[in-house]
Amino acid sequence: MTLPYNLGEMKSKGGAALRYEVEETASELAIKLYQIVKTYPVYKSIADRLQSSKTELYFQKRIKMEIYPVARDLCVLRWYKRNNRQIDIKDKFILIPKHEIYLLLSQVWIDSEFPVQFSRYITNNNNLFIPSLLQSFRSRGKGVLNVWNKWKYAGHFRGARSKKPVIALEYTEKLDLCRRSDLVWFPESGIDPKQVLIYFNGPDAFTGKPIADDDLRGIEALGMNWVCLKPGSLARKNIPIWRPAMRSKQKIARPINDVGKWIYKTGKELLEKVGYWASFYEEFNIKIHFINGEGDLKYIAQSIAFDMNGQDSGFLAGKQRSELYLSSRALLGHYPRDVFFTWSARSRDYLLPNLNRIKANVTVGYPNDSVFLNKQKIDEAKKLNDEIRAQGADFIVALFDNIHNSSLHISTEMMEKFYLAFFGWVLEDKSVGLVIKTKKPLVLETLPKVLPLLEKALATGRCVMLENAFGRLPVDAALAGDMSVGIGISSAVIEPVIAGGKGIHCDLTCLFSHEFYKWGNKRIIFDDTIGIINALKQYKTDKSSNPLLGDWAPFLDKLDPFRDGRAGERMGVYLRWLLEGFDEGLGRESVLRRASTKYAEKWGGENILELI
């Protein structure tokens, strides 16, 4: 199928961006395909070796990634039909490769009007969804489990295997607690810093350059250990790289059948990843692996690596990074944590049924909320507010954008419409100011229609773009404004709202099924730029005309039941209780249950939900 698509601009039957429908459809097909895959002997051999319920999740997620373009094509074709758009005869068939997992698609296909059709000329090279993993695995050796190189001493690790249980985390968001930070849970946790192991698995996420020596010194000053897993991660020279100890090959018979070969290949990828992380956990006595990312297959493998060791093993833990608004089915394999720290109990509505195999859902509040009380932040925001008001502004809007393209729920057209509306207003009304906190510089750089107006807006002195925006918290902009506005169901708006400010979602994706529309349509959420600009203009002129605009007061407990600046402390204390349980020799499930019981006693039973 070669029909053009724009998944944000195209709408499903319910009026929402078609991207949401694609996610659901891809998950549905993946789950059905897995039901066939699990009957193959080669799959059973892999599952028996791993002994983890997340093996199923890994394969479902991997299948979804593989067949995602096919699900997208089906949803696009359905859209063309619903909207009476011309479809050529050749476009009524979805062409798929005649090999591997695609050979099973016709058995689970969900639309008779637009069937799949095999073509030997089609290959799946959609790099957006299919990671090029196989080449890297082949370069390391043959067999299901690789023969690893001999382990090498790895940097600044004090001694050999720690006698105390260790919590490990990848260095991605750095140490500054006034920005997104890897260690937001640490300061009030009571955890011995010697029980924290920070590992480096690539260059700086912000700059793309090797991580600076100052970062290492900061970690060392905290008394924590560190280890490097990947060459090129650090600017410091001659740092040994940790590699797993020597392992013997474990062979699984290679199937002749083409589908079996795909299962074998996928299983090989999984077993190699699991073997790597299991060795890492064992070498350093790691009982908790805290992750900041989401949506990557490697996180499922990391969790399975714990499952392999049974009662003596540990947990994969992580925090909610953004507002949840998609269903559990759409989020298949997106949050494969054993322990998931979430903002509020509302998260359960989006995580159940438990397709991510989460063991404990722990409500802690917004994880970066300690920054709301930071005097330096407040002073900096006041200074920025004063500077903009000195240019004549008496009403300041904090703006939050998002990544956009034709494959996402936020289209480039939406992003243009959003910015053009607000730049037009600030140029029209000399008493309006803007503070822009972009998600990444790329967002605006790829909006050529917007850039000329941006330059004009900046020239007024009433429009300011926060510098070094990647990794900065939305509150940096929000504290300087009178109202926060973000595109889509905006996580960036939720943060300042929890901090006590006013905020509005400009949901051009039209996700009308979301509860925010029930809470306050045309008050806290709008689905068009004209409506939101008119409402803001009226509010600016006379606040009493719409006093509830951007007011979340009735719903704050549903966003964050605590709002006390102690979310990081709650995460850290729960993690400490887990470590203490392991230190006392308790089994894995007993460790989790005791920590959850303590949490319920201290912060309320409604804020802990065990899902095992």
Side-chain angles (χ1 to χ4, degrees), residues 262-288:
W262 181 88
I263 298 171
Y264 175 91
K265 179 183 70 174
T266 302
K268 180 183 176 182
E269 294 172 2
L270 175 58
L271 286 166
E272 182 152 347
K273 291 178 185 178
V274 169
Y276 179 93
W277 291 106
S279 294
F280 182 61
Y281 298 158
E282 182 181 3
E283 189 69 49
F284 296 111
N285 196 20
I286 294 164
K287 296 300 184 183
I288 302 170

Side-chain angles (χ1 to χ4, degrees), residues 61-117:
K61 175 72 171 176
R62 187 71 179 85
I63 293 168
K64 179 177 178 178
M65 294 168 65
E66 191 89 15
I67 56 95
Y68 191 98
V70 180
R72 179 199 63 212
D73 289 351
L74 174 60
C75 293
V76 169
L77 278 169
R78 286 170 165 174
W79 181 89
Y80 271 83
K81 180 189 174 185
R82 281 197 308 269
N83 291 275
N84 298 315
R85 299 298 181 92
Q86 183 65 39
I87 302 176
D88 293 334
I89 295 297
K90 63 180 178 62
D91 290 324
K92 291 187 178 181
F93 296 93
I94 299 175
L95 299 180
I96 59 174
K98 194 175 183 179
H99 65 85
E100 298 190 335
I101 195 66
Y102 300 99
L103 292 172
L104 303 178
L105 259 177
S106 60
Q107 298 181 41
V108 301
W109 196 242
I110 54 179
D111 195 302
S112 59
E113 183 168 3
F114 301 113
V116 291
Q117 187 176 84

Side-chain angles (χ1 to χ4, degrees), residues 167 185-186 188-196 572 575-576 579:
I167 180 169
W185 49 268
F186 177 73
E188 304 299 326
S189 68
I191 295 173
D192 184 345
K194 293 184 178 62
Q195 290 180 265
V196 180
L575 293 170
R576 190 190 78 219
L579 290 174

Side-chain angles (χ1 to χ4, degrees), residues 294-309:
E294 53 196 34
D296 196 308
L297 278 169
K298 72 177 180 181
Y299 300 128
I300 306 177
Q302 289 169 347
S303 185
I304 293 173
F306 278 127
D307 290 346
M308 287 183 67
N309 293 330

Side-chain angles (χ1 to χ4, degrees), residues 343-345 363-365 556-563 607:
W343 302 355
S344 73
T363 298
V364 296
L556 288 176
D557 284 344
K558 295 183 178 183
L559 299 178
D560 179 343
F562 298 106
R563 304 189 303 285
N607 292 315

